[in-house]
Amino acid sequence: MKGYAYAGGGRRVTKVEISLDEGSSWKLADIVYPEDLYRAVCYSDPIFGTLDLTERETSFCWCFWSYEVKVRHLTESNAIIVRAMDEGMCVQQSQMYWNATGMMNNWYFRVAITKGVIEGREVLHFEHPTMAGTVAGGWMERFKSTGQDILDPSFGTQSISQGKEGVPLKANDDANEMIDPAVTRKITMDELRAQDREKPWFVVKGEVYDGTPFLEEHPGGPDSILLVAGENATDDFMAIHSPEAKAKMRKYHIGTLVESNSTRTASADDSVDDPSAPFLHKSTWKDVTLLNVSEISPDSKIFRFALDKPDRALGLPVGQHVFVRLTRKNGEAVQRAYTPVSLQDAQGSIDFLVKIYFPSSEYPQGGKMTMGFHELTVGDTVQIKGPIGSFIWEGNGIASWRGVKKTARNLGLICAGSGITPILQVLRAVLNDKEDRETKLWLLDSNRTEQDILCREELDALYVHHGQSRHLQNPPHRNGRATDNYRFLIHHTLSKPKDAETWSFSVGRINDEMLQAHLPPPDTPDALVLICGPDRLIKDTVQPGLQRIGWDTSKTLVIF
């Protein structure tokens, strides 16, 4: 075994000890101090000068320890415990508490040992307290999920399948926490498929859960639940949810899946392997490979991924989006929904416009998903599936929303930042439709700075070519109200413009006045408002604002 130790304050680590019996006895480890090599001789450089440590005894670098242990001793142990002491006699304490004389909460370092048998051979598994970065795992998380004390851990002397006082531990399988033992209902595959997809049931490790009560509360939005309605969601669910989230599922547990006369599985579909079918599939993750990355702004990039064949159609209706799943360099699996910015007739590839949220003082680790994109290099693969969403633009003034078709000749479009992506798809579809000369559009786009306005060149080009009707003689300024002859209006607002005096649009965040001035009036026939942006913008500003100025948002507000 090997490791390192450091005391701080220039104090030398004088002793490192190892225990294999939970602290009942300790063995000394060997220590090497690499910085001592610099004390043996004065180092001199003609450019950088002299480094003379021959008379200094302070230690500012790690020391490295090692200890040889027989494998059979590890098989008899439940944990490896390490502690160190410095020259001031300060030693790491056994429990986690603040200790101002040392490294604050610097307690024993413990590595849990669990055993198993694979193909008749005993296997040892070593489990650190936590995992690096934000990856889930480690014995502290496991202890917490099973109700054990992480501040005073005891790995016991009994079999690894036994907890304190001989109570069987629930293994590292968090799915056990999701099961309500009082639920005895048996649900067949036929029942699962027959369930209304708007009231979704899904399967995790053979157990059936009702996602309906949690649709609106779900942090990932309702679409991620609706997508797996009637399906086996084990891989998706287990990969990205914390033990706390898994434990909450107990109250949504409704039964156990059992076999039925049906021979098809919940996710079976002949179109998955059909070479002539579109690439996307609602219930099957498919690999795409990164071809290139184009920088749009300092924090926004377009990532182009190759499909399996250069002539393969994507199969994404206008207004729908896809789920993207990737594994970060630290091993953490993350996923979220994105609307591609690929042209509707593009083949063989898919483009995602991603605004990268880099680490900052407010968010030290940055955006999990966007930093995952930032870490990708050409040749890397991610997985996508879909399409998903409650809204589809059918064309020529017809929209399908929540499964119901309706006429929509007046569209108010609101977006913020990268929320432009689904809005842009609708704009393209309406304005490039040769059969549609009647549908009118109002776009209200909110950003921090002018540089943050994404796809601005394309937006301005669409305005130039389609903004006014052909017979309009004196078009109003695009900053003004729409007229009967004016088909497409754009209005921007910036919260932090570089020069407010020269900026010709609004300054500040979206408010009721902007909603009233730059969207169709609430009494406009066949009108819908489409929005994509942060939850706070939607729930705290736009939704109540539209209601205040007369919109019935339950019937007219489409949230991407």
Side-chain angles (χ1 to χ4, degrees):
M1 294 185 290
K2 294 182 179 180
Y4 62 88
Y6 174 71
R11 296 187 299 274
R12 191 178 186 86
V13 173
T14 57
K15 183 167 66 173
V16 175
E17 297 176 301
I18 311 296
S19 176
L20 298 178
D21 54 11
E22 302 241 26
S24 295
S25 62
W26 296 89
K27 303 294 184 181
L28 284 174
D30 296 322
I31 304 178
V32 174
Y33 305 91
E35 64 183 319
D36 282 356
L37 296 173
Y38 289 92
R39 306 185 201 280
V41 63
C42 176
Y43 178 79
S44 182
D45 186 278
I47 296 177
F48 297 104
T50 300
L51 176 64
D52 186 358
L53 298 178
T54 56
E55 296 183 0
R56 293 181 64 94
E57 296 182 354
T58 49
S59 297
F60 290 106
C61 300
W62 294 346
C63 71
F64 294 88
W65 59 265
S66 61
Y67 177 74
E68 288 191 6
V69 59
K70 295 183 182 299
V71 174
R72 65 180 177 85
H73 291 159
L74 293 176
T75 64
E76 297 168 356
S77 175
N78 294 304
I80 301 169
I81 302 178
V82 182
R83 71 179 181 186
M85 185 174 70
D86 66 20
E87 60 187 355
M89 305 295 285
C90 180
V91 66
Q92 289 173 272
Q93 66 266 12
S94 63
Q95 297 180 352
M96 180 187 282
Y97 64 87
W98 292 114
N99 179 0
T101 65
M103 298 292 284
M104 305 310 286
N105 68 339
N106 190 25
W107 58 331
Y108 291 174
F109 189 84
R110 297 170 169 90
V111 176
I113 304 175
T114 55
K115 298 107 178 172
V117 177
I118 298 179
E119 297 181 352
R121 299 177 59 191
E122 186 173 16
V123 177
L124 301 182
H125 174 71
F126 300 93
E127 187 179 23
H128 281 238
T130 61
M131 300 296 286
T134 58
V135 180
W139 62 258
M140 294 181 74
E141 185 175 281
R142 175 167 58 87
F143 271 38
K144 184 178 179 181
S145 67
T146 54
Q148 298 179 84
D149 187 0
I150 63 173
L151 300 180
D152 185 17
S154 174
F155 299 92
T157 57
Q158 67 279 7
S159 165
I160 61 165
S161 63
Q162 299 293 310
K164 294 181 179 180
E165 300 179 359
V167 178
L169 284 178
K170 293 175 181 175
N172 288 340
D173 186 356
D174 295 321
N176 289 329
E177 291 294 313
M178 300 167 55
I179 299 172
D180 184 349
V183 173
T184 58
R185 180 180 175 183
K186 305 299 181 184
I187 298 174
T188 67
M189 191 69 74
D190 293 332
E191 286 181 273
L192 183 69
R193 290 200 199 99
Q195 173 65 16
D196 183 355
R197 295 184 71 88
E198 295 300 314
K199 299 177 181 178
W201 293 358
F202 58 90
V203 179
V204 176
K205 291 201 170 184
E207 302 297 326
V208 182
Y209 299 86
D210 183 0
T212 310
F214 196 55
L215 281 176
E216 297 305 320
E217 303 174 40
H218 189 235
D223 285 341
S224 59
I225 299 178
L226 294 171
L227 182 66
V228 296
E231 307 286 349
N232 185 346
T234 301
D235 290 343
D236 294 353
F237 187 90
M238 300 302 290
I240 63 172
H241 289 85
S242 67
E244 290 80 4
K246 293 168 184 172
K248 290 180 180 178
M249 292 303 296
R250 178 177 295 197
K251 63 181 177 181
Y252 305 112
H253 180 219
I254 59 172
T256 300
L257 187 66
V258 294
E259 294 295 328
S260 64
N261 294 328
S262 174
T263 58
R264 292 170 61 90
T265 64
S267 59
D269 191 320
D270 294 336
S271 67
V272 176
D273 300 317
D274 183 355
S276 63
F279 181 78
L280 287 174
H281 192 275
K282 280 192 174 184
S283 59
T284 303
W285 288 103
K286 294 190 174 183
D287 290 344
V288 291
T289 304
L290 183 61
L291 285 177
N292 57 64
V293 181
S294 304
E295 187 169 299
I296 304 302
S297 70
D299 61 357
S300 299
K301 302 176 182 181
I302 291 181
F303 295 79
R304 172 164 289 182
F305 294 88
L307 307 184
D308 60 340
K309 292 166 46 177
D311 59 348
R312 176 85 79 168
L314 180 62
L316 183 71
V318 175
Q320 298 264 284
H321 39 279
V322 301
F323 266 114
V324 181
R325 181 170 72 180
L326 58 83
T327 301
R328 295 190 56 183
K329 300 303 182 186
N330 62 9
E332 181 182 16
V334 287
Q335 71 181 53
R336 67 160 280 197
Y338 283 90
T339 302
V341 293
S342 319
L343 295 176
Q344 194 63 23
D345 58 354
Q347 293 184 332
S349 65
I350 182 171
D351 296 348
F352 294 107
L353 172 59
V354 180
K355 183 179 178 68
I356 311 295
Y357 291 91
F358 292 101
S360 62
S361 56
E362 187 176 2
Y363 301 102
Q365 297 178 4
K368 286 185 179 182
M369 188 73 190
T370 64
M371 286 303 295
F373 268 103
H374 182 63
E375 293 165 356
L376 294 174
T377 57
V378 171
D380 286 347
T381 60
V382 303
Q383 295 181 307
I384 64 174
K385 73 175 176 179
I388 55 173
S390 62
F391 178 87
I392 297 176
W393 182 256
E394 303 275 1
N396 199 14
I398 302 298
S400 175
W401 184 30
R402 298 170 180 166
V404 178
K405 289 188 178 183
K406 64 179 300 179
T407 302
R409 286 296 184 186
N410 295 278
L411 299 178
L413 310 170
I414 305 172
C415 60
S418 57
I420 185 64
T421 55
I423 300 300
L424 181 61
Q425 292 286 24
V426 175
L427 280 172
R428 288 172 177 168
V430 173
L431 296 176
N432 294 328
D433 186 349
K434 295 180 181 179
E435 304 297 322
D436 188 350
R437 291 290 181 268
E438 298 180 33
T439 304
K440 298 181 180 180
L441 306 109
W442 289 254
L443 173 61
L444 178 55
D445 189 4
S446 174
N447 292 277
R448 291 181 70 255
T449 68
E450 192 168 1
Q451 188 180 36
D452 293 326
I453 301 175
L454 301 176
C455 306
R456 189 173 185 182
E457 289 185 7
E458 182 173 358
L459 292 175
D460 287 346
L462 287 172
Y463 171 79
V464 169
H465 289 95
H466 304 282
Q468 56 180 303
S469 298
R470 292 179 181 175
H471 61 276
L472 184 64
Q473 300 298 317
N474 299 302
H477 188 275
R478 62 177 175 174
N479 203 20
R481 288 290 304 170
T483 70
D484 289 340
N485 296 321
Y486 216 71
R487 191 174 182 206
F488 173 39
L489 289 176
I490 304 176
H491 187 79
H492 298 284
T493 183
L494 302 179
S495 57
K496 294 184 178 180
K498 186 175 181 180
D499 186 352
E501 296 298 323
T502 60
W503 174 244
S504 60
F505 294 96
S506 293
V507 175
R509 300 183 184 278
I510 291 177
N511 55 35
D512 290 9
E513 289 71 24
M514 293 184 203
L515 297 175
Q516 193 153 26
H518 304 293
L519 294 179
D523 58 354
T524 304
D526 301 330
L528 288 176
V529 176
L530 281 53
I531 184 170
C532 185
D535 281 346
R536 290 183 60 183
L537 171 67
I538 297 171
K539 295 179 180 179
D540 297 345
T541 301
V542 172
Q543 195 164 16
L546 289 173
Q547 291 169 351
R548 284 191 292 268
I549 65 175
W551 287 87
D552 182 352
T553 56
S554 65
K555 298 179 180 178
T556 56
L557 181 61
V558 178
I559 300 173
F560 288 115

